[in-house]
Amino acid sequence: MIKVLQVFARTGRGGAETLVMTHYRHIDRSKFHFDFVNHTEQRCEYDEEIEKLGGKIFHLPSASPLRTYELIRAWDSFLSVHNDYDVIHVHYFTIAGIILPIAQKYGIKVRIVHAHATHIRFFNNLIFSALRKRMIKSSTLLIACGRDAGRSIFKTDDFIVFNNAIESTRYYFNEDVRVAKRLELGISKDSFVMGHVGSLTPVKNHNFIIKIFAEVHKIISDSKLLLVGDGPLKKELLKIVDNYGLGDAVIFTGSRSDVPDLLMAMDMFIFPSFHEGLPISVVEAQNTGLHCVISDIITDEVVISDLVKKIKLGDDVKIWVDCIVSNSKRRINRLSYKHISADNKYDVFENVKILETIYSR
């Protein structure tokens, strides 16, 4: 049995967390055991499933300028007791420079840092630069979700790209599922539905999504906006929706476990993020045969079909609206895209084999 410690800020339904949970469900659990560290005391969305699959969840302090030394002491204390792991896989990469030297000190042989973004959210860039050097020196392997993310976070080309993977069969378009999900959400079968999947946080640019939809709604009166996810901006976004007078035209679903079904209920996927690593939700959307309109800053690695249109973030709202409205009239066989993720090496079954090899090294 190879014991792996997965390290996160929190095990919510974010992209990195969902990726690891997809691996956890499909990896050979008679050979690989996962435990998790969360840097929060709160219960998170995936905690119950982790425990059902046999994993333990440990809670350590969150990272902040005032708690750095507390964090170092907490990790040293934790690993002085829990040092029987063969692998430590750090997804909370901003503090990997704190964690990995301690893991090395206590003899954990495989020490991995995984970059899931192109942008660093840290309280001090100079401190992170110092931590980056410690991170690279004490790691045995650097992994990134894409080329842009690896180069941005690690400042080197000495990393491997490990594609974000999905359970592609869950994203095969199904007309019956589409009808049932629309009925559940109170959406008519003929309504035009724009949608987005992502946490309600500034980076996802929900203000702009709502602004675009307000203009689309003027042109296509029988239209809806489906926002899948939760986060700190929800109250603010509800006010913006109210200010536009959109009322019931915008549906906030909250955090959901039925994302594949919700994608099938949509007609258009919009993703104008300010920055991303490799947003797996765009891959998922294409696998369900959805048109995708995304910001130009998102890596080309995510474009795996002819369904994606990139638009500059600085372009006028009208350009986004015209693109959405014109593509709303384009009819395609959505089921014909069901193998698109697997054909482009985004399928979990192949990726788990690679991950097992990495952990076994």
Side-chain angles (χ1 to χ4, degrees):
M1 178 72 75
I2 292 176
K3 293 188 67 177
V4 183
L5 186 64
Q6 305 282 358
V7 181
F8 284 100
R10 62 189 308 276
T11 45
R13 293 193 184 277
E17 297 86 345
T18 298
L19 172 68
V20 172
M21 290 306 297
T22 303
H23 292 151
Y24 195 13
R25 295 180 198 116
H26 292 90
I27 204 164
D28 186 346
R29 292 195 297 278
S30 70
K31 297 179 181 178
F32 298 89
H33 174 81
F34 285 11
D35 287 333
F36 291 74
V37 167
N38 273 344
H39 288 80
T40 176
E41 292 296 330
Q42 298 175 345
R43 288 284 290 180
C44 302
E45 289 90 338
Y46 279 126
D47 288 3
E48 183 178 353
E49 183 180 1
I50 288 169
E51 291 164 347
K52 284 182 178 178
L53 291 172
K56 294 180 182 177
I57 304 165
F58 301 98
H59 300 274
L60 270 69
S62 60
S64 72
L66 300 177
R67 304 184 77 176
T68 301
Y69 291 109
E70 180 186 350
L71 188 63
I72 293 170
R73 289 193 300 269
W75 266 103
D76 194 89
S77 176
F78 174 75
L79 288 178
S80 69
V81 176
H82 303 282
N83 53 28
D84 58 340
Y85 290 100
D86 303 287
V87 182
I88 184 167
H89 192 154
V90 182
H91 306 272
Y92 197 3
F93 61 82
T94 51
I95 59 170
I98 291 173
I99 299 166
L100 292 191
I102 301 172
Q104 185 175 17
K105 169 185 171 183
Y106 285 106
I108 297 179
K109 292 181 180 179
V110 180
R111 301 178 298 277
I112 301 169
V113 186
H114 202 141
H116 296 278
T118 57
H119 184 75
I120 300 165
R121 287 179 292 175
F122 199 66
F123 49 80
N124 186 302
N125 286 337
L126 288 176
I127 293 176
F128 180 71
S129 294
L131 288 177
R132 181 192 286 117
K133 293 176 183 177
R134 288 168 56 85
M135 169 182 73
I136 292 173
K137 184 178 179 180
S138 56
S139 66
T140 60
L141 182 65
L142 305 176
I143 297 177
C145 62
R147 292 185 299 275
D148 293 346
R151 290 167 181 160
S152 175
I153 300 304
F154 300 132
K155 302 301 182 186
T156 176
D157 286 324
D158 189 18
F159 61 88
I160 67 168
V161 173
F162 183 63
N163 286 343
N164 291 352
I166 68 171
E167 298 169 90
S168 57
T169 54
R170 294 185 64 209
Y171 294 87
Y172 290 177
F173 180 75
N174 185 304
E175 184 66 33
D176 292 338
V177 171
R178 172 182 170 86
V179 171
K181 192 55 58 174
R182 283 186 169 223
L183 184 63
E184 175 193 319
L185 295 167
I187 301 173
S188 75
K189 65 182 181 65
D190 297 320
S191 293
F192 172 70
V193 180
M194 277 175 55
H196 177 271
V197 178
S199 59
L200 306 184
T201 51
V203 65
K204 301 298 184 182
N205 206 5
H206 285 87
N207 292 15
F208 191 52
I209 293 173
I210 295 169
K211 186 176 183 179
I212 292 168
F213 176 69
E215 297 303 313
V216 170
H217 193 61
K218 292 175 183 177
I219 301 167
I220 309 174
S221 58
D222 187 16
S223 58
K224 300 283 187 181
L225 174 61
L226 200 56
L227 298 177
V228 182
D230 210 342
L233 293 184
K234 185 172 183 178
K235 287 184 179 178
E236 178 184 326
L237 295 174
L238 284 168
K239 289 180 181 177
I240 293 171
V241 168
D242 188 55
N243 290 340
Y244 276 113
L246 292 171
D248 296 336
V250 180
I251 301 171
F252 291 83
T253 71
S255 180
R256 300 280 290 240
S257 60
D258 58 344
V259 170
D261 299 353
L262 292 167
L263 289 171
M264 292 176 208
M266 299 175 191
D267 299 298
M268 182 76 62
F269 191 77
I270 183 168
F271 207 84
S273 292
F274 289 113
H275 54 80
E276 293 281 347
L278 193 151
I280 196 61
S281 57
V282 180
V283 173
E284 293 168 345
Q286 289 171 83
N287 210 108
T288 66
L290 265 181
H291 296 292
C292 302
V293 182
I294 67 176
S295 59
D296 63 309
I297 60 88
I298 295 173
T299 176
D300 287 335
E301 294 164 283
V302 83
V303 182
I304 60 173
S305 74
D306 61 352
L307 294 169
V308 180
K309 173 66 177 178
K310 279 190 166 188
I311 301 179
K312 292 181 180 179
L313 268 178
D315 281 351
D316 191 82
V317 169
K318 186 178 184 301
I319 295 175
W320 289 77
V321 172
D322 289 347
C323 179
I324 290 167
V325 172
S326 62
N327 277 286
S328 71
K329 302 169 186 176
R330 181 184 166 201
R331 296 291 176 258
I332 58 171
N333 176 9
R334 291 181 63 171
L335 194 55
S336 67
Y337 290 87
K338 68 179 184 178
H339 297 300
I340 198 73
S341 62
D343 291 345
N344 287 272
K345 300 181 180 179
Y346 284 96
D347 186 73
V348 68
F349 299 104
E350 291 301 317
N351 282 30
V352 161
K353 293 176 186 177
I354 298 170
L355 190 65
E356 289 179 347
T357 302
I358 289 170
Y359 287 162
S360 299
R361 58 192 277 153

